[in-house]
Amino acid sequence: MAGTTESNATDESVYRPRKSSWKYIGPGIVVAATGVGAGDLVATLIAGSNFGYTLLWAAVIGCVVKISLAEAAGRWHLSTGRTLFDGWASLGRWTTWFFVVYVVIWGFVYGAAAMSSSGLPLQALFPDVMGLKWWAMLTGVVGLIFVWFNKYDVFEKVMTVLVGVMFVVTVYLAIRVTPNLGDAFAGLLPVLPDEKDSILNTLGLIGGVGGTITLAAYGYWVNAKGWTNTSWMKVMRLDNRVAYITTGIFVVAMLFVGAEMLHSAGVAIASGDKGLVQLSDILADRYGSATAKLFLVGFFATSFTSLIGVWHGVSLMFADFVERYRRDRAGAVDTELSGEAVAAGKRERSGPFRAYLLWLTFPPMILLFQGQPFRLVIIYGVLGAAFMPFLALTLLWLLNSSRAPREWRNGILSNAMLVIAGLLFLVLCIKQIADQPWSEFF
């Protein structure tokens, strides 16, 4: 009887809600750093250069939408003790096939893009050392070695330092360009620009900043932090809000820079990562080389956090997928909740984790030399566009079903936000698929 009492007391202490506290913050910083890449900053800069402050409200709504998606993913992990892939697998075999095709093709093309994005600011900072391809490969290998030999705790600390660099640089630039605060506050009113395709451009800004598959990885980082049950729910929700407030600061700061430096002067920059190199040249002309170099350091921090974030987070998801697949094939009975296995570091030490790390790093180097194959890029674009509606709609399904404990299922607000997110990303998915040059594909 004494043993039973002791066991019950232990269970109560484990599941007693923890007070939300800043000292626990971690996975949110990781997801914010990974989700905001150089391409996101360029998209925001271009929105600012084209429309001034008009779409500031859209950037803020985008952060709110991402909060609801990441919160749902984290709530699934904590309330069930299961990972998101366990949830997807319960919906049918089609989710497995979608995930497999997605991570193989997406990882191959993304690996090249992430390495190139991380190499660009280094080449701009040290132009006489070596070419872009070699800088790109170096960043990929450094990312591989770092993630291979370090566990989540070290990974989180390094990401936090790099986020600090991103924060200082973007906020400094926003202050340096002296934003028009009156126009900025006016930009919080939901007004569409008087331009062709303004609705789609606005939806693109809402949906495009701060997350793709990294939103799904958030639940895995929550587990890797050691949060595995509902006692961490309040902590997770605070952590998630910090993530997207941080993302919002990055986005608003770069919109200020685009509105003041580019829109007011009528200066256009290229889309893609090279637009940030152009911005560094503009900064050098206006504020001096020290500001330009500081910006390039921030550009590198932005790109490299996305690289190592994907190297870690998506490899963690892939390792969980493989373990689930092996268990199902063997007809084995679960002896441990998958969330606890992630928390114990078993996935990070596994062969599939390291195999996917290698897949992200070395095969994509071929694309750095040969250019990206046309058909593969189209398939990559379609799969990338399809992932976010897949995530939103499957979370809506899982968290309104008996798969989740009743008290942690969606309420009206959660359902409304996930429906909005699902519809938003579905529209963007259809638009992106329709815009692909299919006539040249066949």
Side-chain angles (χ1 to χ4, degrees), residues 85-103:
F85 194 82
D86 280 338
W88 285 340
S90 73
L91 299 178
R93 195 175 294 274
W94 64 276
T95 60
T96 300
W97 287 110
F98 176 82
F99 181 78
V100 170
V101 174
Y102 177 82
V103 294

Side-chain angles (χ1 to χ4, degrees), residues 243-307:
Y244 284 96
I245 290 171
T246 305
T247 299
I249 291 171
F250 292 148
V251 170
V252 170
M254 294 310 287
L255 196 83
F256 283 4
V257 173
E260 292 297 333
M261 282 193 62
L262 305 178
H263 182 69
S264 59
V267 176
I269 60 170
S271 59
D273 301 340
K274 291 183 180 177
L276 293 184
V277 177
Q278 284 181 271
L279 181 63
S280 72
D281 295 335
I282 296 168
L283 287 168
D285 291 339
R286 187 169 299 188
Y287 300 114
S289 61
T291 297
K293 287 179 179 177
L294 178 66
F295 170 71
L296 288 171
V297 170
F299 175 9
F300 172 73
T302 301
S303 298
F304 194 63
T305 51
S306 292
L307 186 151

Side-chain angles (χ1 to χ4, degrees), residues 180-195:
N180 185 321
L181 295 180
D183 288 349
F185 281 115
L188 293 173
L189 296 174
V191 176
L192 290 173
D194 187 18
E195 301 277 346

Side-chain angles (χ1 to χ4, degrees), residues 84-424:
L84 190 52
F85 194 82
D86 280 338
W88 285 340
S90 73
L91 299 178
R93 195 175 294 274
W94 64 276
T95 60
T96 300
W97 287 110
F98 176 82
F99 181 78
V100 170
V101 174
Y102 177 82
V103 294
V104 170
I105 295 176
W106 181 88
F108 183 57
V109 180
Y110 179 84
M115 288 187 279
S116 180
S117 179
S118 298
L120 267 173
L122 293 176
Q123 187 196 29
L125 282 166
F126 310 104
D128 300 323
V129 176
M130 55 185 171
L132 174 60
K133 295 180 180 66
W134 302 106
W135 278 119
M137 288 191 290
L138 178 63
T139 60
V141 171
V142 169
L144 168 74
I145 293 170
F146 170 72
V147 174
W148 189 292
F149 290 106
N150 289 292
K151 300 307 174 196
Y152 175 80
D153 288 345
V154 176
F155 165 72
E156 183 191 284
K157 287 181 175 66
V158 170
M159 291 288 271
T160 303
V161 170
L162 291 173
V163 166
V165 173
M166 292 168 61
F167 187 89
V168 168
V169 171
T170 54
V171 172
Y172 166 76
L173 286 178
I175 294 170
R176 190 71 192 266
V177 300
T178 56
N180 185 321
L181 295 180
D183 288 349
F185 281 115
L188 293 173
L189 296 174
V191 176
L192 290 173
D194 187 18
E195 301 277 346
K196 182 183 178 183
D197 293 332
S198 62
I199 293 177
L200 287 171
N201 287 333
T202 303
L203 292 177
L205 182 61
I206 293 172
V209 178
T212 50
I213 195 171
T214 54
L215 283 167
Y218 177 65
Y220 286 83
W221 285 322
V222 162
N223 286 158
K225 179 75 170 175
W227 307 347
T228 57
N229 56 55
T230 55
S231 69
W232 293 101
M233 197 69 77
K234 286 185 178 179
V235 175
M236 181 275 292
R237 284 171 168 161
L238 173 65
D239 179 77
N240 178 42
R241 291 184 193 113
V242 168
Y244 284 96
I245 290 171
T246 305
T247 299
I249 291 171
F250 292 148
V251 170
V252 170
M254 294 310 287
L255 196 83
F256 283 4
V257 173
E260 292 297 333
M261 282 193 62
L262 305 178
H263 182 69
S264 59
V267 176
I269 60 170
S271 59
D273 301 340
K274 291 183 180 177
L276 293 184
V277 177
Q278 284 181 271
L279 181 63
S280 72
D281 295 335
I282 296 168
L283 287 168
D285 291 339
R286 187 169 299 188
Y287 300 114
S289 61
T291 297
K293 287 179 179 177
L294 178 66
F295 170 71
L296 288 171
V297 170
F299 175 9
F300 172 73
T302 301
S303 298
F304 194 63
T305 51
S306 292
L307 186 151
I308 59 175
V310 167
W311 264 226
H312 185 276
V314 184
S315 297
L316 205 55
M317 293 180 70
F318 181 77
D320 186 55
F321 153 71
V322 172
E323 179 57 35
R324 169 86 194 195
Y325 179 76
R326 284 174 175 170
R327 200 167 62 234
D328 289 349
R329 284 290 299 270
V333 178
D334 294 348
T335 57
E336 181 179 33
L337 291 174
S338 49
E340 292 175 353
V342 174
K346 292 179 180 179
R347 301 290 186 259
E348 290 173 284
R349 295 191 296 269
S350 68
F353 180 89
R354 290 174 171 172
Y356 193 74
L357 261 180
L358 295 171
W359 173 253
L360 283 167
T361 307
F362 293 110
M365 289 180 182
I366 299 168
L367 302 184
L368 296 175
F369 287 91
Q370 295 185 349
Q372 298 182 356
F374 180 73
R375 287 184 177 85
L376 188 63
V377 170
I378 291 179
I379 296 171
Y380 166 81
V382 170
L383 287 170
F387 185 82
M388 290 301 280
F390 168 79
L391 176 62
L393 296 172
T394 53
L395 282 170
L396 193 64
W397 188 350
L398 289 169
L399 290 167
N400 281 290
S401 72
S402 58
R403 296 172 181 85
R406 184 175 295 278
E407 64 179 305
W408 299 111
R409 291 178 199 167
N410 282 353
I412 294 173
L413 181 60
S414 297
N415 277 327
M417 292 304 298
L418 287 178
V419 167
I420 291 169
L423 292 175
L424 165 68

